[in-house]
Amino acid sequence: MTPEVRCADRTEESLANLVYKRVSTDQQSTDRQNLVLAEAGIEDPVVFEEDAGTSSRLHPLQRPKFGDLLTYARPGDIVHISEMFRLVRGTGHILDVLDVLHRDQVALAIHDGAFSGMDLTARHPRTGELLSTVKFMVQTFAAAGELQRDLQRELTYDGLRAAEAKGNKGGRRPAVPAGKIESVRTAYLEGRSIAALARDHDVSRGAIRTAVADLLPEYTAAAPDAPTPELPVALDMPGKVADFLRRAELSPDERAALDQGVTVRRGQGYTLRVSTTPAVHSQLLGRCESLDGTLAIPAQRKARREYENRVNALAADAER
């Protein structure tokens, strides 16, 4: 039931579990947040989700859906978020939000990340001010989070530069432009090969096959120069690589492969069993190239090399 419908029938005595979700770009999804919140077992959640691409730089109190949440909230309600940085980024934002929640007597539950399980609304019984220990932890974790994001951006930038120096542009391969699809289809019907069309239009063979998909023979052998369609392959991705990629900007295909991965526990660590095409495995490997840099810790570099070996072995098997 939507918040607007429930609000009209709501009484002061009824308490609600208010769920807040947000992603920073329209290329991201809330799949990971949904998983964390589902595992929390929240009863009868009332969901407030910002439009895709709502910037983290916008103060939470100025975001439309969080404003709706505060309007809907009643004393005793609980605001649920998957992790603190879905709601706030900088230290000042955190303290501002905590002051508002305290004013409205609304609790905050964080289900993952550094702040999970912490009571951030604890106040001094006489002064009513935020406990100094809580304030210190909030400021410390927030500063650490900002440092982590800054380093992440630097590593990603360095990794992209290194990939470009090797001739890898990264990202999704270009599709056939809409204005040229008809000419590609006509040329294919006239006997032009998929490989030749791919060279002519500077795209992959897969892009050409997509453009002429309904023209391909369904029950006959593929043309000699046409590649065999790639099938999903399961590879174990080290946990440190998976953690890095979850915070990276990924294409929809890459994000879907990561979100659908199966966690396999390995002692105190884990691996993520990712099933996707070899091409997407290679793209994910390129995304974490910065883990070979000097700013990465040894364990990250080792994890990245392990994943690289598995992806390279997959490519070698395909060539045989």
Side-chain angles (χ1 to χ4, degrees):
M1 192 177 292
T2 63
E4 291 75 18
V5 174
R6 291 189 57 173
C7 192
D9 302 330
R10 193 169 181 202
T11 65
E12 291 293 332
E13 292 76 18
S14 64
L15 302 181
N17 289 307
L18 313 178
V19 171
Y20 179 77
K21 296 188 286 186
R22 181 191 64 82
V23 291
S24 299
T25 74
D26 56 10
Q27 298 297 313
Q28 297 174 317
S29 74
T30 58
D31 291 348
R32 181 176 179 277
Q33 297 175 61
N34 295 339
L35 176 62
V36 171
L37 294 166
E39 290 176 344
I42 302 168
E43 296 184 359
D44 299 323
V46 182
V47 178
F48 296 82
E49 182 175 340
E50 300 286 357
D51 291 338
T54 302
S55 174
S56 60
R57 291 188 291 272
L58 183 64
H59 197 293
L61 301 180
Q62 297 175 341
R63 295 180 196 151
K65 292 302 180 181
F66 191 63
D68 293 345
L69 181 151
L70 293 176
T71 301
Y72 181 78
R74 299 289 185 273
D77 287 352
I78 303 175
V79 176
H80 298 267
I81 53 178
S82 61
E83 56 185 345
M84 176 61 86
F85 298 118
R86 292 298 97 204
L87 175 59
V88 293
R89 288 291 188 182
T91 307
H93 290 186
I94 295 178
L95 298 178
D96 289 345
V97 169
L98 292 179
D99 282 341
V100 170
L101 295 179
H102 173 67
R103 179 200 68 193
D104 295 343
Q105 301 178 47
V106 176
L108 176 64
I110 306 167
H111 297 283
D112 195 19
F115 294 98
S116 60
M118 294 174 56
D119 182 8
L120 299 181
T121 58
R123 301 272 167 165
H124 193 282
R126 288 186 294 277
T127 66
E129 295 181 353
L130 195 66
L131 288 179
S132 58
T133 52
V134 173
K135 189 173 183 178
F136 172 77
M137 286 188 292
V138 166
Q139 292 172 328
T140 301
F141 280 128
E146 290 176 357
L147 174 63
Q148 181 185 36
R149 289 192 303 277
D150 289 343
L151 289 175
Q152 178 72 46
R153 283 193 292 268
E154 293 173 5
L155 289 170
T156 300
Y157 176 76
D158 291 343
L160 291 174
R161 290 289 301 276
E164 289 175 359
K166 294 180 180 179
N168 300 323
K169 295 182 180 179
R172 302 183 72 180
R173 293 183 176 180
V176 177
K180 295 184 177 180
I181 289 178
E182 197 57 40
S183 63
V184 167
R185 292 168 62 84
T186 300
Y188 176 76
L189 289 174
E190 292 175 350
R192 191 80 170 152
S193 72
I194 288 177
L197 287 169
R199 290 193 299 270
D200 292 346
H201 295 275
D202 195 25
V203 296
S204 68
R205 294 183 182 185
I208 298 297
R209 290 180 65 83
T210 298
V212 300
D214 59 321
L215 305 177
L216 296 172
E218 295 182 359
Y219 303 106
T220 59
D225 56 350
T228 302
E230 289 188 325
L231 298 176
V233 178
L235 284 186
D236 284 352
M237 176 186 293
K240 285 182 169 49
V241 172
D243 292 341
F244 177 89
L245 289 173
R246 284 193 176 102
R247 298 189 295 269
E249 297 294 336
L250 304 177
S251 71
D253 289 345
E254 295 163 353
R255 179 65 62 185
L258 203 66
D259 289 342
Q260 293 168 13
V262 178
T263 299
V264 180
R265 293 294 172 186
R266 305 286 188 191
Q268 295 183 351
Y270 77 99
T271 60
L272 190 68
R273 187 154 295 160
V274 178
S275 294
T276 188
T277 62
V280 174
H281 278 302
S282 296
Q283 291 170 202
L284 289 170
L285 177 63
R287 297 287 189 186
C288 63
E289 188 159 5
S290 58
L291 290 182
D292 273 346
T294 57
L295 293 178
I297 62 175
Q300 288 177 317
R301 293 198 292 269
K302 179 180 178 182
R304 200 267 180 188
R305 287 195 296 271
E306 289 178 359
Y307 184 50
E308 181 179 29
N309 291 338
R310 292 166 188 168
V311 174
N312 289 342
L314 183 64
D317 289 342
E319 293 176 355
R320 292 172 184 170

